[in-house]
Amino acid sequence: MEFENNMYFWQKLDTLILSTEINVTQPKDSVHPKYANLVYPVDYGCLSDTLATNGDKVDVFIGTMKPQRANAVVVACDILKKDIEVKLLLGCTEQEELEILHFINQTDFQKGIILHRGNNIPSWAVDDN
């Protein structure tokens, strides 16, 4: 089965982002509160009034491009926490995405991938049949 990266998913993310406040909890170049070797490559925070599967708010990496729409998501697996998290990338340049990937993947305990924004209309949404 081919990966379907459809525009409707990204439109829903845009709506979620526009309907809530973005809170920066870790400014760019700040040190992770638990791991001194991890330095945030861009601003990091969460979307208020949201709920992620881990019970916390939806996490966001905030880049320098405007407007700050979701241009990608990171899916990360953390074996210490025994969870999988999805983190939104808002307004990130290609260089910032590479830095975020390095940040996510620099330990042996967590690994992640980036899924980029798609603009395709899924085949099931083309007509009413």
Side-chain angles (χ1 to χ4, degrees):
M1 177 177 202
E2 184 178 316
F3 172 67
E4 188 171 85
N5 189 359
N6 78 71
M7 68 181 195
Y8 297 122
F9 170 78
W10 298 99
Q11 287 175 344
K12 296 302 179 208
L13 282 182
D14 289 340
T15 301
L16 180 67
I17 293 160
L18 290 170
S19 68
T20 188
E21 184 178 330
I22 300 169
N23 296 319
V24 175
T25 57
Q26 298 294 327
K28 178 181 179 177
D29 297 325
S30 65
V31 176
H32 190 284
K34 292 183 183 176
Y35 306 103
N37 61 318
L38 299 179
V39 177
Y40 287 88
V42 297
D43 288 345
Y44 180 78
C46 62
L47 299 177
S48 64
D49 302 322
T50 60
L51 181 64
T53 56
N54 63 0
D56 293 333
K57 295 178 179 7
V58 174
D59 296 327
V60 293
F61 286 99
I62 307 157
T64 55
M65 290 177 22
K66 305 291 183 211
Q68 291 184 326
R69 70 178 193 155
N71 56 316
V73 295
V74 168
V75 179
C77 179
D78 186 324
I79 61 171
L80 289 180
K81 293 197 285 185
K82 295 185 177 182
D83 77 354
I84 295 173
E85 295 182 16
V86 175
K87 301 169 186 294
L88 307 181
L89 277 63
L90 307 181
C92 293
T93 65
E94 193 173 314
Q95 180 61 37
E96 289 168 335
E97 286 183 5
L98 290 173
E99 292 170 2
I100 292 165
L101 259 184
H102 174 74
F103 177 80
I104 293 288
N105 286 293
Q106 65 184 304
T107 73
D108 289 335
F109 306 109
Q110 177 176 265
K111 297 298 177 191
I113 58 170
I114 289 184
L115 302 173
H116 289 97
R117 187 180 191 107
N119 293 314
N120 299 323
I121 298 174
S123 58
W124 49 263
V126 174
D127 58 36
D128 292 333
N129 294 332

